[in-house]
Amino acid sequence: MAFEFFTPSKIFVSAILLRLILLLYGLFQDAYSPLKYTDIDYFVFTDAARYVSQGLSPYQRETYRYTPLLAWMLLPTTWPGIAWFSFGKVLFSLADIIAGWLILLMLRSPQGGSIPTPRALKLASIWLLNPMVATISTRGSSEGLLGVVVMALLWAVMHRRTALAGIFLGLSVHFKIYPFIYAPSIILYLETPTPRSQSSHPPSTLSHRLLTFLNPSRLTLTLTSLLTFTLLNALMYTLYGHPFLHQTYLHHLTRIDHRHNFSPYNTLLYLSSSTPATTTSFESLAFIPQLLFSAILLPLALLPSNRNKNKTLPSTLLAQTFAFVTWNKVCTSQYFLWYMIFLPFYIPHSTFIRKPVLGMVATALWVGSQALWLQQAFQLEFMGRSTFVPGLWVASLAFFAVNMWILGVVVGDVGLGGEEGGGERKVR
């Protein structure tokens, strides 16, 4: 009897073991190596949790820029015993697994294409068995938690549970701002099916079109998401006041992070950090092209023209997130997980699968341009050599160019993805 690896038990056990091995290795590296495995952000999270355990504000911890919900969730890290300090890493790793289960659930559902279980598991393994995903979570990055909420949001939208989708959307935006870019795509997805008898007679007046657009699903999503977001923020503001508002949201408008930043803005941020802030500083204006592209142009270009919106919606969210991260003024490895979670939905109709050589070239360029940047960053941070110009800046531009080329391919695939026949090649 042939050995079959792609069964639910084998894949999920392998995903758990991968993370367990990395967690144990991380303990060893932290104990014996000067280069620590644990991400610096994890110490920020746990310090904030310790302040909360003492009845203080998590924002007593400098550089804590997150919702208090995260600090609350990590309160067990303050309990006595060395093992409890790793509670957050275990929680984030468990979130990875739950997100992978939701991916599998959607791929197997009629809305996800009713993909057979073995093939769906291969696609879900892009997330579950991805060493980059597992490493980032076991180092103490909280992106896995948001991955669960985003996948739950996608599930609720595609199953037309609009009130639940609104709650998940409001929660995700409260937890980390960027998921608000998904709102336009979801709104466009929640259109009212047009009967065949009326398809050739579209609404003629502006008022009729407006009433048709404002259907119950769209109104429910809008109201529940706004209510959830408002209630959470009102609660946190009542408890922690202006520091919550500033650190969680307003800080990002003028954020200057020039370390560990793949963005082409990196060098400009470094130069800007040594000059007095102005009301028209470029770090405040950097959002304009980013949001125009990711939150407005891509949803309008990709969703209305496609017939098969069940197939198109997840890939549109991938394109939006990829654009948002690529254009973000701060771009770190953790952010790559924001779009990687959508890859299992895009891969089946990807040009990179239909043309394997192109896929290998794209992967090599994506990894290689990161390696070039990391080499320059190593020279700067560990060897003390000034590589900002031209080394680090050129490397950032190269990575940006590679990402824009990949994004162009993705957008082209999604634009054709809703057409009948779609040019899909199966991942066997």
Side-chain angles (χ1 to χ4, degrees):
M1 184 176 179
F3 176 77
E4 178 58 56
F5 178 69
F6 289 98
T7 63
S9 59
K10 291 185 177 68
I11 291 298
F12 281 95
V13 167
S14 298
I16 292 170
L17 286 176
L18 171 62
R19 287 157 178 80
L20 180 59
I21 291 170
L22 288 172
L23 283 168
L24 294 175
Y25 170 77
L27 294 176
F28 175 82
Q29 182 172 325
D30 284 346
Y32 295 102
S33 173
L35 183 63
K36 303 303 180 184
Y37 183 83
T38 301
D39 194 301
I40 186 65
D41 285 345
Y42 190 69
F43 293 103
V44 175
F45 300 159
T46 54
D47 286 350
R50 187 173 67 253
Y51 281 116
V52 171
S53 71
Q54 297 168 357
L56 302 172
S57 167
Y59 302 105
Q60 294 283 107
R61 182 21 164 125
E62 292 184 9
T63 73
Y64 185 77
R65 320 287 190 192
Y66 311 90
T67 170
L69 287 177
L70 180 58
W72 295 358
M73 295 173 73
L74 297 184
L75 278 173
T77 63
T78 67
W79 297 349
I82 298 176
W84 282 113
F85 181 74
S86 297
F87 171 83
K89 298 179 183 180
V90 175
L91 177 65
F92 302 154
S93 299
L94 180 61
D96 277 353
I97 304 298
I98 296 173
W101 174 74
L102 288 171
I103 292 170
L104 178 63
L105 196 67
M106 282 185 283
L107 289 171
R108 294 169 58 186
S109 70
Q111 293 82 358
S114 299
I115 297 175
T117 298
R119 183 179 173 222
L121 283 166
K122 291 178 183 179
L123 294 168
S125 296
I126 296 171
W127 174 264
L128 285 168
L129 302 182
N130 190 320
M132 185 175 187
V133 174
T135 299
I136 287 175
S137 291
T138 54
R139 291 188 66 217
S141 175
S142 64
E143 308 308 326
L145 292 175
L146 188 62
V148 172
V149 180
V150 169
M151 285 298 100
L153 166 63
L154 182 60
W155 179 90
V157 170
M158 295 183 69
H159 287 77
R160 297 282 175 161
R161 309 285 180 84
T162 49
L164 186 59
I167 292 172
F168 285 133
L169 180 59
L171 174 61
S172 64
V173 176
H174 169 79
F175 202 90
K176 193 155 286 190
I177 305 170
Y178 84 89
F180 84 91
I181 67 174
Y182 301 149
S185 292
I186 296 172
I187 290 292
L188 291 172
Y189 174 85
L190 293 174
E191 64 181 0
T192 303
T194 304
R196 289 181 179 271
S197 58
Q198 299 179 16
S199 59
S200 59
H201 303 284
S204 56
T205 64
L206 180 61
S207 59
H208 192 184
R209 290 180 180 179
L210 182 61
L211 290 174
T212 301
F213 182 83
L214 297 176
N215 61 31
S217 294
R218 286 168 171 161
L219 291 174
T220 300
L221 178 89
T222 302
L223 292 175
T224 53
S225 60
L226 288 176
L227 181 61
T228 302
F229 181 73
T230 301
L231 288 177
L232 284 170
N233 287 335
L235 173 62
M236 300 307 169
Y237 186 80
T238 300
L239 293 174
Y240 300 114
H242 183 73
F244 155 72
L245 197 62
H246 176 77
Q247 299 292 357
T248 307
Y249 299 114
L250 301 180
H251 161 77
H252 296 279
L253 294 175
T254 56
R255 181 181 182 185
I256 299 178
D257 287 0
H258 58 82
R259 290 181 179 270
H260 315 291
N261 183 2
F262 290 101
S263 170
Y265 293 116
N266 178 39
T267 302
L268 293 174
L269 289 173
Y270 171 72
L271 296 174
S272 180
S273 66
S274 62
T275 59
T278 64
T279 56
T280 57
S281 56
F282 88 90
E283 57 267 18
S284 300
L285 302 177
F287 289 106
I288 295 175
Q290 178 190 30
L291 297 184
L292 178 66
F293 198 41
S294 63
I296 300 175
L297 296 182
L298 284 176
L300 290 176
L302 298 178
L303 271 168
S305 61
N306 274 296
R307 303 188 194 114
N308 191 346
K309 286 185 169 55
N310 282 334
K311 186 195 313 186
T312 305
L313 177 63
S315 296
T316 299
L317 301 185
L318 165 67
Q320 287 182 265
T321 315
F322 200 103
F324 185 91
V325 173
T326 299
W327 283 86
N328 202 28
K329 64 183 179 182
V330 177
C331 179
T332 65
S333 298
Q334 291 94 322
Y335 297 177
F336 301 159
L337 271 60
W338 297 357
Y339 57 75
M340 280 185 177
I341 201 165
F342 295 109
L343 286 177
F345 305 96
Y346 162 71
I347 288 297
H349 52 270
S350 168
T351 296
F352 297 121
I353 295 298
R354 294 198 304 273
K355 300 178 180 178
V357 173
L358 184 68
M360 288 187 287
V361 169
T363 302
L365 289 175
W366 190 75
V367 174
S369 55
Q370 285 183 67
L372 175 63
W373 187 94
L374 290 169
Q375 189 273 336
Q376 294 295 313
F378 178 83
Q379 294 290 322
L380 173 67
E381 297 192 18
F382 289 91
M383 306 301 291
R385 299 171 184 167
S386 179
T387 59
F388 277 106
V389 179
L392 206 59
W393 184 60
V394 171
S396 296
L397 291 178
F399 187 56
F400 178 80
V402 169
N403 278 305
M404 287 303 294
W405 170 64
I406 293 174
L407 179 61
V409 176
V410 172
V411 169
D413 287 340
V414 179
L416 296 174
E419 299 298 327
E420 297 300 328
E424 181 175 322
R425 172 177 173 175
K426 290 187 177 181
V427 178
R428 299 188 181 279

